[in-house]
Amino acid sequence: GGTAMAAVRDVEIDPEGTFKYILVRLQRPGGEEQRDIVRGTKAAEFHNHIFEKVNPEMQKLGYECKCLGGGKIDHNSKDKKIRVFGLSTGYGKADHSVTVEILKKVYTDYEITWSDDKK
């Protein structure tokens, strides 16, 4: 049912700094139910490192994962600002506008912007 998918957090990103992120679509095999989540961390040297961590976690919960693209997130918790930019060489550019909408659900009091800038 909807509860397991609801238990998956919309956003898991580092609390501070600039790091790679990916936009991931979760889907129940054969089901209509789907949602997009944002994952990003400084620990990941490459975008696929993030996917390789998320994918098995989600498969355990019974979801198929598809990476919709990536980029970078600049998270300034002091000024409550998040900037989404850049792209993933391997996965292509995520739709940053979608990422921003997901981030806004969690970081409700932040100023969140995006651009297609590389830096």
Side-chain angles (χ1 to χ4, degrees):
T3 48
M5 194 172 259
V8 176
R9 287 191 297 201
D10 289 312
V11 178
E12 284 182 19
I13 59 171
D14 285 2
E16 187 65 46
T18 304
F19 44 83
K20 292 183 166 66
Y21 94 89
I22 56 172
L23 187 61
V24 178
R25 175 156 292 165
L26 303 183
Q27 194 155 7
R28 284 274 185 226
E32 289 301 299
E33 188 188 14
Q34 62 176 41
R35 67 181 263 221
D36 299 341
I37 60 171
V38 174
R39 294 291 184 268
T41 176
K42 269 187 277 212
E45 193 186 345
F46 299 106
H47 286 90
N48 62 307
H49 291 171
I50 309 172
F51 189 73
E52 282 161 16
K53 187 176 172 294
V54 175
N55 196 33
E57 287 174 10
M58 296 305 148
Q59 281 180 335
K60 271 189 210 127
L61 297 171
Y63 299 112
E64 289 172 346
C65 285
K66 183 181 172 206
C67 184
L68 301 178
K72 284 187 170 177
I73 286 176
D74 181 24
H75 188 173
N76 181 335
S77 53
K78 186 169 65 75
D79 296 340
K80 296 199 169 181
K81 285 184 179 178
I82 293 176
R83 188 168 70 96
V84 184
F85 64 101
L87 53 81
S88 160
T89 320
Y91 295 121
K93 186 177 80 71
D95 184 339
H96 296 327
S97 63
V98 172
T99 302
V100 166
E101 289 311 310
I102 298 169
L103 289 168
K104 279 179 179 170
K105 288 198 274 190
V106 178
Y107 295 95
T108 49
D109 56 344
Y110 269 61
E111 183 192 319
I112 304 175
T113 56
W114 68 273
S115 77
D116 287 329
D117 299 345
K118 299 283 193 292
K119 289 186 170 25

